[in-house]
Amino acid sequence: MALEPDSADVLPVFDLTSVLDVSPNEANPELCVSIANCLHETGCLLVRDPRVPADHNDRFLDILERYFGLPVDRKIADCRPGLDYQVGVTPCGTEVPRCVVDSQMQVQLRQLKGSNRATVPTGADLKWRFMWRVGERPSVTQFPELNAEPVVPQGFPEWSSVMDGWGAALLGAATTVGGLLARGLGLEGSELQDLMAQGPHLLAPTASDLDCNGRLGAVLAGYHYDLNLITVHGRSRFPGLYVWLRDGRRVAVRIPPGCLLMQAGKQLEWLTGGYIMAGMHEVVVTEATLAAVEAARTAGRSTWRISSTVFTHCASDAVLRPLGRFAEQPGSAEAYPAIKAGDQVQGELEAICLRKVAAVPAAAVAGQGVCPPSPVAMKTEPGSASTAGLSGAANNTPVGGVTGVLKNDGSCATGVAISAAR
């Protein structure tokens, strides 16, 4: 039986080597237009950037595998729910896929047919995440929690240098693509890059324990789009990431050696008035995932699936609105009204339960798609963390209707979600 086509089969690879030392306005215009067309038609693209060596990705994956293999109480000390989880660790069972709480996305899910259907989650994601800030941040901002100081885990003296180095490499590739994309869209070559300056960019690896969540069809990260500008994916050691092209095709991600996958986020959709749409994706356990797990066990390697992900953003205090010719499209101003990027991000974080929603009526929680309380206490003092809601006590309200617990070996012990504290 023929294998289904994957991203390396259906997406072109754009080599950035020739444009690294030139401004976007001096780059080959055909390259710029091709990048813009690819993102318009598919929502994603593959790029090759010689500044992003594979051995840096390996060092990054090695240190994250060591970190997430720690006992849960060691990791929870790095949790900052009071900062909307935008720095430090996010426990599994905290983030809720947008499709669980968004009725319009549920309609979209039902329209997917056959092999293009998503694996529908029923509650919070099984993945952990670590948020590490990348690049310069503004000295004054209306959104300090989105631009907070980083959390450095104890016992990892090389942590900052590894994370900074890999994050800067992926951000550099995305910044280059941003310049080429702007020119290809008919904007000023620096227009997107200027919006990215001092943005709350995040190196944001996910981590999924495939020892306890290695069940065929398990949803590690449910069907969703990313809220930011451009997401950059390096190579993971375990397959399972799927993306949807704009024509509705569900495509397994395979990133060729030396390449990166980039996907449009909601901010790019906003700036282009929907000409480029935010790309949908999910991470699920497949037969290929299980084969990679077995190979890792045989070799004595970690079975934590680590993603190599950077979220690039527009600066928090910058205003999102359709740019240039996209502002003239009928209905674009109504569909994508002017809003500060920080306000847009906070709204998205509320929807996926990473930002606390104040004073929500009980009826709204029960029937209107509003998140229940977070699994972790919303206030955490620096250097400590509450584990309230992580015990799976009987009087807790489960996210999505499925109760699980955290084992002290650092993993999510069962099913779809972690109990949320009342």
Side-chain angles (χ1 to χ4, degrees):
M1 184 176 66
L3 295 175
E4 61 180 358
D6 58 33
S7 60
D9 297 320
V10 302
L11 294 175
V13 175
F14 296 94
D15 195 325
L16 304 183
T17 304
S18 65
V19 299
L20 298 182
D21 298 321
V22 301
S23 73
N25 290 329
E26 297 171 323
N28 183 336
E30 292 183 3
L31 173 63
C32 299
V33 170
S34 295
I35 286 175
N37 287 343
C38 187
L39 281 169
H40 167 62
E41 293 166 4
T42 71
C44 49
L45 49 78
L46 291 166
V47 302
R48 178 174 286 109
D49 188 331
R51 301 170 298 180
V52 187
D55 61 332
H56 287 197
N57 192 26
D58 288 336
R59 286 200 296 271
F60 163 78
L61 294 175
D62 288 345
I63 195 173
L64 266 297
E65 287 175 352
R66 285 168 47 209
Y67 174 77
F68 279 104
L70 293 173
V72 63
D73 56 349
R74 287 279 305 278
K75 294 186 295 240
I76 291 298
D78 301 322
C79 188
R80 301 292 185 271
L83 296 174
D84 303 339
Y85 301 96
Q86 295 307 286
V87 291
V89 76
T90 306
C92 67
T94 302
E95 181 177 339
V96 174
R98 185 71 191 237
C99 65
V100 172
V101 295
D102 187 324
S103 59
Q104 291 183 339
M105 195 172 292
Q106 290 164 9
V107 172
Q108 180 180 331
L109 272 173
R110 289 193 290 270
Q111 294 172 343
L112 299 172
K113 304 297 182 183
S115 61
N116 297 317
R117 287 181 296 182
T119 308
V120 181
T122 57
D125 285 340
L126 295 175
K127 69 178 189 293
W128 291 70
R129 192 187 287 282
F130 198 101
M131 297 287 208
W132 179 260
R133 56 183 283 172
V134 178
E136 295 183 1
R137 298 296 170 92
S139 57
V140 178
T141 175
Q142 183 184 333
F143 305 95
E145 68 279 10
L146 301 181
N147 295 274
E149 290 300 311
V151 176
V152 182
Q154 293 185 359
F156 292 84
E158 74 279 35
W159 183 274
S160 294
S161 62
V162 171
M163 300 291 275
D164 284 343
W166 185 236
L170 299 189
L171 176 59
T175 302
T176 297
V177 168
L180 302 175
L181 171 62
R183 188 180 180 200
L185 292 172
L187 306 172
E188 291 296 325
S190 65
E191 201 155 357
L192 293 179
Q193 292 177 339
D194 290 344
L195 286 169
M196 294 171 70
Q198 297 189 336
H201 314 300
L202 293 166
L203 176 59
T206 62
S208 303
D209 184 355
L210 296 176
D211 266 346
C212 69
N213 293 314
R215 304 179 307 281
L216 188 64
V219 182
L220 305 178
Y223 182 79
H224 68 287
Y225 60 78
D226 290 336
L227 60 87
N228 51 293
L229 184 70
I230 297 172
T231 298
V232 188
H233 296 282
R235 299 181 72 179
S236 174
R237 289 172 175 161
F238 297 91
L241 173 61
Y242 283 82
V243 298
W244 275 262
L245 307 185
R246 189 162 181 173
D247 63 8
R249 281 181 291 166
R250 179 180 183 260
V251 175
V253 169
R254 177 169 62 91
I255 302 175
C259 293
L260 303 168
L261 177 79
M262 297 192 185
Q263 192 169 35
K266 198 66 174 181
Q267 291 181 350
L268 186 54
E269 178 181 326
W270 212 287
L271 297 173
T272 62
Y275 178 77
I276 295 174
M277 296 294 291
M280 307 303 300
H281 49 286
E282 69 177 0
V283 183
V284 296
V285 175
T286 67
E287 295 282 5
T289 313
L290 296 178
V293 169
E294 188 57 36
R297 286 197 185 112
T298 301
R301 294 187 285 105
S302 171
T303 54
W304 278 87
R305 183 192 186 278
I306 308 297
S307 72
S308 187
T309 308
V310 158
F311 296 137
T312 70
H313 282 258
C314 294
S316 300
D317 297 276
V319 175
L320 299 177
R321 58 165 63 91
L323 301 174
R325 63 187 175 94
F326 303 112
E328 301 170 4
Q329 296 174 158
S332 64
E334 292 77 17
Y336 301 96
I339 184 175
K340 283 193 173 183
D343 289 323
Q344 176 260 340
V345 168
Q346 288 180 338
E348 295 279 357
L349 293 176
E350 287 182 2
I352 60 176
C353 300
L354 294 183
R355 179 177 172 83
K356 187 176 182 180
V357 182
V360 178
V365 174
Q368 301 300 319
V370 177
C371 296
S374 169
V376 180
M378 289 308 301
K379 183 176 181 181
T380 303
E381 298 300 326
S384 65
S386 168
T387 56
L390 292 174
S391 62
N395 63 344
N396 287 343
T397 302
V399 178
V402 180
T403 300
V405 296
L406 283 178
K407 299 192 298 183
N408 198 46
D409 63 2
S411 60
C412 184
T414 62
V416 176
I418 298 300
S419 293
R422 289 187 185 275

